[in-house]
Amino acid sequence: MSDSLPTTHDWPTLEKGWVWLCGAGPGDPGLLTLHALNALRQADVVIYDALVQEQILDWAPQAEHIYAGKRGGKPSAKQRDISLRLVDLAREGKKVLRLKGGDPFVFGRGGEEAQTLVQHGIPIRIIPGISAGIGGLAYAGIPVTHRDVNQSVTFVTGHDQSGNATSSLDWNAIAKGSQVIVIYMGMKHIAQITSSLIYAGRDPHEPVAIVTTATTEHQRVLETTLSTATADIEEAGLEPPAIICVGRSVLMRQTLDWQAMAKGHAPRDLDPLGRGRPAESA
Ligand code: SAH
């Protein structure tokens, strides 16, 4: 298929009339999977989202590139149009690559698109990607789980289909049951979300990290707390897309901010949880 893909593996062929629904990762093109690269090399047409870095499309110079950007909160009719466009392209006999930011099945409406395709008899393949809520935090030096911090993590979306704050979520239950909460699309309703968590009993001083345009050269990370997040975001002028992480795993960044270390900065604290022992013991 391509000299840059290992030859020890049989790479699948993107056949005419098929749609491959593929995650592009959070931004850094290096976080694409090899299956994604294989797909880019073969596609006749790539339909991509707003969060897909344009650079990634350079790996599909032979393909037609169609922008299908959607902004959160817009009416869902457009989603239907995108899904049907995929059906039409497949029926025209195209090799279709549907490229979505992060992982297509994580808050990305990939499930809906796949469902429409199957309902129309279009054969599909799903290629997972690195989701921003995991990979984006890793680029900020925040491990989404750490044995000393959390045995569970909850991924939530900050707004529902209508663009409102997610009213169907039981913030009380999340506050009580989730040691670490990773919020997608949470910027618009940050004040409401943080208040709900504090009201439900979370410590107002609990650490929070906001990571915007994670894994790209424009990545910014703000460390704040539940009670100060809204004002600090405003003051810093942070804009979406952002991943918001609530919980003590944010403290690990003091040891694990590997991007700062790569620039020569020393870790701020080797034992930010105050455990007083090397992490690998016990
Ligand atoms: N399927 C995607 C999520 C799509 S929803 C995934 O798995 O990552 C869109 C939301 O994802 C954004 O509003 C933001 O909360 C988050 N997101 C996606 N890419 C991001 C990035 N590079 N940096 C920060 N947040 C990102």
Side-chain angles (χ1 to χ4, degrees), residues 69-259:
K70 270 176 67 55
R71 286 285 169 207
K74 289 273 169 63
S76 52
K78 208 174 157 213
Q79 178 59 52
R80 182 99 196 121
D81 292 347
I82 295 170
S83 298
L84 293 176
R85 183 94 190 260
L86 294 172
V87 171
D88 288 345
L89 287 163
R91 286 193 173 149
E92 284 167 23
K94 298 270 169 47
K95 303 172 189 175
V96 185
L97 173 57
R98 173 69 173 120
L99 199 57
K100 299 175 78 76
D103 182 282
F105 279 0
V106 178
F107 299 131
R109 301 186 174 100
E112 290 157 62
E113 291 179 18
Q115 206 179 352
T116 304
L117 289 162
V118 171
Q119 284 165 351
H120 286 79
I122 307 293
I124 60 169
R125 182 183 185 100
I126 307 297
I127 302 176
I130 295 179
S131 191
I134 298 176
L137 291 183
Y139 266 47
I142 300 169
V144 78
T145 75
H146 184 294
R147 215 159 49 123
D148 289 339
V149 174
N150 59 325
Q151 285 66 49
S152 70
V153 56
T154 301
F155 296 102
V156 304
T157 170
H159 60 69
D160 60 22
Q161 286 189 350
S162 57
N164 299 319
T166 319
S167 48
S168 58
L169 284 179
D170 182 345
W171 288 102
N172 275 316
I174 292 170
K176 288 193 175 58
S178 312
Q179 294 150 308
V180 172
I181 306 164
V182 176
I183 304 161
Y184 291 70
M185 297 173 274
M187 292 289 263
K188 190 167 161 207
H189 300 297
I190 185 68
Q192 198 173 335
I193 292 167
T194 49
S195 314
S196 302
L197 289 172
I198 294 170
Y199 189 72
R202 297 292 279 236
D203 180 355
H205 302 298
E206 186 164 358
V208 171
I210 322 286
V211 189
T212 68
T213 47
T215 82
T216 73
E217 58 190 343
H218 305 295
Q219 172 174 306
R220 287 180 71 188
V221 185
L222 173 73
E223 291 174 42
T224 177
T225 66
L226 272 181
S227 58
T228 50
T230 305
D232 285 351
I233 288 171
E234 171 108 34
E235 192 188 321
L238 291 188
E239 298 282 344
I243 283 293
I244 301 168
C245 180
V246 178
R248 284 168 71 247
S249 31
V250 168
L251 299 176
M252 294 307 300
R253 179 172 150 78
Q254 296 173 17
T255 308
L256 302 179
D257 184 359
W258 56 272
Q259 299 208 40

